Amino acid sequence: MVIGDRPRTKTRSVYAAGGLRMRAGRASAARAYSNQPTSRATGSRMVIGDRPRTKTRSVYAAGGLRMRAGRASAARAYSNQPTSRATGSRMVIGDRPRTEELVGKKVNIPDYVRRVLEDPRAPKREAESDERTRRVRERAAQAMVDARSIASSDDDADAWWRSPLGVPPGGRQVTKEEPLRVLIAGGGLAGLIAAAACHAKGMKVALFEQAGSFAPYGGPIQIQSNALKALSQINTRVYDEILKAGTVTADRVSGLKIGYDAGNPLAGKYQKGDWLVRFDTVGPALEAGLPPTVVVDRPVIQQIFVAHGFPQGTVRIRSRVAQYEKLGEGQGVKVTLEDGTCAYGDVLIGADGIWSSVRKQIFGLDEGAGGFAASGAAGGAIDNAEERKAARDTIEVASKARRRYSGFTCYAALANHRASNIEEVSYQILLGKDKYFVSTDAGGERQQWFALIRTPPGGQDPEPTADSPTPKLDRLRAEFTDQKPGDSNGDMWDDFGLELINAANEEDVKRRDLYDGAPLLREPSKWLAPWADGPVAIAGDAAHPMMPNLGQGGCQSCEDGYRLVEELATVRQTSEVASALARYSRTRVVRTAIIQGLAQLGSDLLIDFDKMMNIPVLGPFFLMMTQVSMPWVLRYLYTADF
């Protein structure tokens, strides 16, 4: 590709940077948000094309940060994969070392990312130390103890929700003295957020959780910039406490690496551990005026919400919602729990997870479509026996619930281990054939990792025995081995995967099959209220389960909680509840459908990344477009408009 010198006079010059075409007039430069600098191939190296010599507003689009540059400056593009020319077995790029591509592909934080991270507005992480490690780990351990003691189902005989409402046909007036009464099914993240948001608006709220105790599934979770914005608008104390408890992950690089030696001379060669795509998350957050992403232990989040989100006694455990009955226009809803207890409210919010019983009734699904599963509240309590039973039962439940098996089983663990790249990398994915390995900093010198392997649903690992005490770890060591003869495909992996696998204990490794679902759009007559049925609506995974590779499952639950209660706060007569829930679901369904699609597409592409990379011309183009698209994906995710 040859792009010649730019005219020095008034012109309609096109800067085709990363495929983005923009017109530039007199004395203006292209505002290119790209990972591919406009260039021209000359001889044996890439030369950055001459830019207009007049004063220009050049964009440093590293993570979306815009900075002014003066005369005779060139656009610095957001990229780890500069447009290049293949020359034999090497890539020659500008004035970089003209050796095998090791320098660019092995460097964790290239200059274009470092400039963003060094911006004065960028977050400054508290450095890991013995004191901080102790503090983070002790807080997580105490939160687990606290979570298991949350609530009692024996002291609510006089609870407000036990009494029938007695609302006349047509509804009643909503006042400060007689606010909306909201019932919430599910005590995971979506339910806790909805409960806190309801309480913040002066509503009465009761939360029913099916589990006998709270416990973490999958360890810490990322609360990304958009979710933090939602929390800050729901409850400032909760927001402040989460920031205080969290570990900043936006201060380092994230991206994709190849897990094994791959490629060919025509499409480019890659050594295991080479970076394919690198990006920062702080740039798009700062551009949108949002706080940077933090990671927080799930039981700590529960602890914070229970302490600061709503009054004591709001949560009732061992209380699974079995069905609901609409009582008439403005007259509320009657909920029957699995033990026969009845609860009455003006509103029912189904935040009861991917196998939601509330969703089952709204959508008229078959019996068995709702079930006990690894919810945000209960999942971590699963022992090996329950895990094996769930693997078998979930196949039948999923077919009745119209959920899609992703094709992956997921092994997850939290390892007490200081990663070798902790100071420069916060999140990375090692890509392979039919599998990939994900790791993220969890704070307190810990790493949360996930091994996703393409396999039929319902698979189970052997029970531990005296001769084979670690069957899960044994499988993972074979899948991600760095020794000859390699894995089942003959590939030897970058040793970072084994570094984390070997730091985990067998009993801490959980396995579950991953399911997601299509956007919930019913028959056209229901499009005005896609997630609602009169005074009943769903939120969180009940409405939009998604693959975990974008880290947006819990974040979208935060957005749901904010938007749902903002709409309910406009209700002045209980007859208006149905229209408020309809507005909420219409507002949320489009955005969550797009993010579901991005997460599903991303997961499907990750597993076939190695195939794409080996295609001449298309492989490098695919990598380039992946790099170019990441800032735009983050820009869409990181918004305050939800």
Side-chain angles (χ1 to χ4, degrees):
M1 181 176 71
V2 179
I3 300 175
D5 294 340
R6 306 299 182 190
R8 303 301 201 264
T9 60
K10 183 175 181 178
T11 179
R12 289 171 58 200
S13 58
V14 177
Y15 287 41
L20 298 177
R21 296 184 173 271
M22 303 178 183
R23 297 181 179 180
R26 181 187 300 269
S28 66
R31 296 171 185 177
Y33 189 93
S34 166
N35 73 313
Q36 303 297 333
T38 305
S39 59
R40 59 186 176 85
T42 59
S44 63
R45 64 179 182 173
M46 294 288 292
V47 179
I48 303 298
D50 292 338
R51 305 300 185 187
R53 298 294 195 258
T54 55
K55 186 173 182 179
T56 178
R57 182 169 177 255
S58 189
V59 175
Y60 290 36
L65 291 180
R66 296 180 173 270
M67 305 177 185
R68 294 182 183 270
R71 187 184 305 270
S73 64
R76 285 172 171 79
Y78 182 83
S79 167
N80 76 311
Q81 301 290 335
T83 306
S84 59
R85 178 178 60 81
T87 57
S89 63
R90 66 184 181 181
M91 290 177 68
V92 185
I93 303 175
D95 293 326
R96 295 186 183 181
R98 301 173 68 177
T99 58
E100 195 75 10
E101 310 170 300
L102 296 178
V103 174
K105 292 182 180 179
K106 296 297 185 185
V107 171
N108 288 328
I109 305 183
D111 288 344
Y112 63 87
V113 173
R114 191 176 299 279
R115 283 193 294 271
V116 180
L117 300 180
E118 291 175 351
D119 184 275
R121 297 170 296 163
K124 300 299 183 284
R125 173 173 50 98
E126 181 183 352
E128 296 292 359
S129 63
D130 291 344
E131 189 279 329
R132 186 176 192 277
T133 296
R134 177 192 56 76
R135 173 162 36 96
V136 170
R137 293 185 184 183
E138 287 182 357
R139 174 76 185 270
Q142 184 58 51
M144 292 182 67
V145 173
D146 293 348
R148 295 183 186 280
S149 62
I150 288 176
S152 168
S153 58
D154 301 324
D155 58 359
D156 55 17
D158 298 324
W160 60 264
W161 49 263
R162 286 185 176 272
S163 303
L165 302 178
V167 178
R172 65 172 178 87
Q173 188 175 5
V174 176
T175 66
K176 184 177 181 179
E177 293 73 26
E178 291 293 333
L180 279 178
R181 292 169 285 191
V182 182
L183 309 176
I184 298 175
L189 187 58
L192 293 172
I193 292 166
C198 288
H199 177 66
K201 293 293 185 179
M203 303 172 195
K204 289 184 177 180
V205 59
L207 189 153
F208 301 93
E209 165 54 39
Q210 63 183 343
S213 66
F214 278 69
Y217 179 80
I221 61 175
Q222 290 200 45
I223 308 296
Q224 297 188 44
S225 300
N226 54 311
L228 288 170
K229 180 63 175 180
L231 292 176
S232 72
Q233 296 178 97
I234 290 171
N235 184 313
T236 56
R237 179 66 184 275
V238 166
Y239 169 76
D240 290 340
E241 289 293 328
I242 284 178
L243 286 185
K244 181 180 177 181
T247 296
V248 172
T249 59
D251 65 325
R252 287 157 286 169
V253 76
S254 300
L256 310 178
K257 287 183 173 183
I258 188 66
Y260 62 100
D261 293 345
N264 58 61
L266 293 178
K269 287 189 174 182
Y270 301 86
Q271 295 182 355
K272 60 184 180 180
D274 280 355
W275 284 104
L276 303 176
V277 174
R278 284 167 290 191
F279 57 91
D280 65 271
T281 62
V282 69
L286 293 178
E287 186 182 47
L290 301 179
T293 297
V294 297
V295 63
V296 190
D297 286 88
R298 190 181 297 266
V300 172
I301 295 173
Q302 294 166 346
Q303 182 190 58
I304 289 170
F305 271 100
V306 171
H308 306 294
F310 37 75
Q312 185 177 1
T314 297
V315 178
R316 187 181 196 266
I317 59 172
R318 293 188 291 275
S319 301
R320 182 171 180 268
V321 171
Q323 63 182 25
Y324 67 83
E325 176 188 350
K326 294 182 291 183
L327 300 177
E329 183 182 0
Q331 294 177 283
V333 60
K334 174 185 176 182
V335 169
T336 303
L337 305 180
E338 204 164 52
D339 64 2
T341 301
C342 293
Y344 301 86
D346 299 304
V347 184
L348 170 63
I349 300 172
D352 46 345
I354 187 171
W355 314 118
S356 168
S357 59
V358 177
R359 172 184 176 268
K360 175 176 76 78
Q361 188 168 343
I362 289 178
F363 286 85
L365 303 178
D366 295 338
E367 286 301 317
F372 185 93
S375 70
I382 299 177
D383 59 25
N384 282 335
E386 291 173 311
E387 181 181 275
R388 294 164 69 85
K389 182 178 185 301
R392 296 189 301 268
D393 295 348
T394 300
I395 297 176
E396 183 177 357
V397 174
S399 65
K400 294 180 179 179
R402 302 178 194 168
R403 296 307 197 190
R404 180 194 81 121
Y405 177 54
S406 67
F408 298 99
T409 195
C410 176
Y411 293 84
L414 177 64
N416 289 334
H417 174 72
R418 180 182 175 87
S420 55
N421 59 9
I422 188 63
E423 292 302 325
E424 296 187 325
V425 181
S426 64
Y427 175 88
Q428 70 178 46
I429 301 177
L430 289 171
L431 300 174
K433 300 171 185 174
D434 299 321
K435 57 194 168 190
Y436 57 96
F437 187 90
V438 184
S439 62
T440 183
D441 180 21
E445 297 194 348
R446 300 171 303 163
Q447 284 280 309
Q448 175 70 43
W449 58 258
F450 307 88
L452 287 86
I453 302 171
R454 181 175 280 172
T455 188
Q460 302 173 31
D461 295 290
E463 290 279 7
T465 64
D467 294 332
S468 179
T470 58
K472 291 178 183 175
L473 290 175
D474 290 345
R475 178 186 181 180
L476 293 171
R477 288 170 181 138
E479 293 279 2
F480 298 97
T481 181
D482 61 352
Q483 301 295 317
K484 291 182 178 181
D487 63 10
S488 58
N489 298 311
D491 298 322
M492 290 182 292
W493 280 70
D494 180 72
D495 59 8
F496 186 72
L498 276 183
E499 177 187 330
L500 300 190
I501 290 169
N502 289 333
N505 298 317
E506 175 75 13
E507 59 270 21
D508 295 330
V509 180
K510 302 294 183 184
R511 177 183 179 179
R512 65 168 174 168
D513 294 336
L514 296 182
Y515 289 83
D516 59 9
L520 294 181
L521 294 174
R522 299 182 286 174
E523 62 271 19
S525 64
K526 303 291 187 181
W527 284 359
L528 292 179
W531 296 350
D533 177 25
V536 183
I538 52 177
D541 282 351
H544 45 72
M546 57 186 69
M547 291 295 289
N549 49 293
L550 288 181
Q552 278 288 317
C555 296
Q556 289 306 300
S557 295
C558 293
E559 293 186 10
D560 286 348
Y562 170 76
R563 176 50 49 196
L564 173 60
V565 177
E566 285 296 298
E567 298 298 342
L568 286 178
T570 67
V571 170
R572 297 294 176 264
Q573 186 83 10
T574 54
S575 58
E576 300 170 2
V577 166
S579 60
L581 295 180
R583 286 195 306 274
Y584 147 75
S585 61
R586 287 196 304 273
T587 301
R588 294 295 299 148
V589 72
V590 175
R591 176 167 164 80
T592 57
I594 292 171
I595 295 173
Q596 275 183 287
L598 288 172
Q600 183 173 315
L601 176 64
S603 183
D604 292 343
L605 288 177
L606 285 177
I607 206 68
D608 292 319
F609 220 88
D610 64 301
K611 297 177 183 176
M612 294 294 299
M613 286 171 47
N614 286 316
I615 304 175
V617 181
L618 287 179
F621 178 77
F622 177 65
L623 280 177
M624 180 193 77
M625 293 309 298
T626 302
Q627 177 72 60
V628 169
S629 68
M630 279 310 303
W632 295 99
V633 170
L634 291 171
R635 277 179 160 179
Y636 181 75
L637 297 177
Y638 294 174
T639 177
D641 184 17
F642 40 73

